[in-house]
Amino acid sequence: MSHGFAGRIALSGAAALPDADARAARMAAVGWQIERAAEGAQMAWQGAAAYHRLGALSLCGLVLLDNRARLYDALGLAPEAGRVLSDLALLAHARAARGPAVTEILSGSFSVLVLDHDTGRVEGYRDHLGVYPFYYNLHGGALSAGSDIRAVLHLSGARLSPDATRIADFIRGEEIARDLTVFAGLSRLPAAHRLDTSGVESSIARYWQVSLPPPEPAEDAPARLRAAL
């Protein structure tokens, strides 16, 4: 894809991948922008994706916000100051102010990888409707994640191994789990979910779910429609 990002971050106590920098260099040779955010942390992006560093936070991802004006108010930013920030930079300010609860004030499309340099904590966020993809892999004591499958697996050093069972399910038209992919060892972060990794432990949690109105008796529908009109 022409717009994408990927990052590999060694988790606490993990040894650096021996050829991590060489893998990143090969991506740079074919047009990816590369940032070594920290020892054992490589970020890569291209197209509309971006990288941003704010204090102790490094963020890499795809972001298209729908509620910038609301975020200015929530963060106490003057509009003239907020307008000079990219969507990713504005999200970084929101994450710095709100922590993992940042999703409560976000509206739009986003797939973002976050590294907290002070704590070593790594987070991933995918938007409410899953407009932008987010894939991740835990391999060799590191988390690799991003929106581009090939880039994620390349940085991770993991083999691109197809999962025959998942492929068979897809061909048969059976329901495909939203947290799995057709590649072994590569997971998908579902829409409206957050990934948290601290030390060598990782977890995912839902941060939002659509609320459906209670069902209305069919016989009341004509009267309610007339009243609404």
Side-chain angles (χ1 to χ4, degrees):
M1 63 187 296
S2 58
H3 306 287
F5 76 97
R8 182 186 188 275
I9 302 171
L11 303 178
S12 298
L17 188 67
D19 62 344
D21 290 335
R23 288 175 178 272
R26 287 198 289 274
M27 293 178 68
V30 294
W32 288 75
Q33 298 186 68
I34 304 294
E35 177 71 27
R36 188 175 185 182
E39 184 66 32
Q42 289 83 18
M43 304 286 195
W45 69 96
Q46 63 176 349
Y51 170 83
H52 185 74
R53 175 75 184 258
L54 177 67
L57 299 176
S58 281
L59 296 86
C60 193
L62 282 160
V63 184
L64 181 61
L65 297 175
D66 295 335
N67 64 332
R68 290 181 61 98
R70 182 189 170 203
L71 287 174
Y72 300 158
D73 292 338
L75 300 175
L77 288 173
E80 57 271 21
R83 279 193 290 267
V84 303
L85 299 174
S86 68
D87 282 358
L88 179 61
L90 185 56
L91 190 151
H93 280 270
R95 168 59 185 80
R98 297 296 183 95
V102 62
T103 50
E104 296 175 3
I105 59 171
L106 293 180
S107 177
S109 306
F110 50 88
S111 176
V112 181
L113 180 64
V114 181
L115 167 62
D116 187 324
H117 295 269
D118 285 344
T119 65
R121 181 188 181 102
V122 184
E123 302 163 3
Y125 297 90
R126 191 176 180 199
D127 61 73
H128 302 71
L129 300 180
V131 175
Y132 290 145
F134 188 104
Y135 305 101
Y136 66 97
N137 164 277
L138 288 166
H139 177 75
L143 172 75
S144 299
S147 63
D148 186 292
I149 288 178
R150 291 175 300 175
V152 170
L153 289 175
H154 174 71
L155 283 180
S156 75
R159 294 181 59 191
L160 188 66
S161 302
D163 186 328
T165 301
R166 304 309 306 169
I167 295 173
D169 286 345
F170 179 79
I171 293 173
R172 288 169 57 90
E174 296 181 357
E175 182 179 357
I176 302 298
R178 295 183 178 182
D179 60 343
L180 299 176
T181 70
V182 296
F183 298 104
L186 183 71
S187 300
R188 177 190 292 111
L189 186 65
H193 279 68
R194 181 181 75 244
L195 169 71
D196 292 295
T197 304
S198 181
V200 294
E201 301 295 326
S202 65
S203 63
I204 64 171
R206 177 183 286 276
Y207 64 78
W208 176 82
Q209 188 163 355
V210 64
S211 298
L212 298 176
E216 296 288 345
E219 57 270 19
D220 294 346
R224 292 178 64 84
L225 177 59
R226 281 195 296 271
L229 295 174

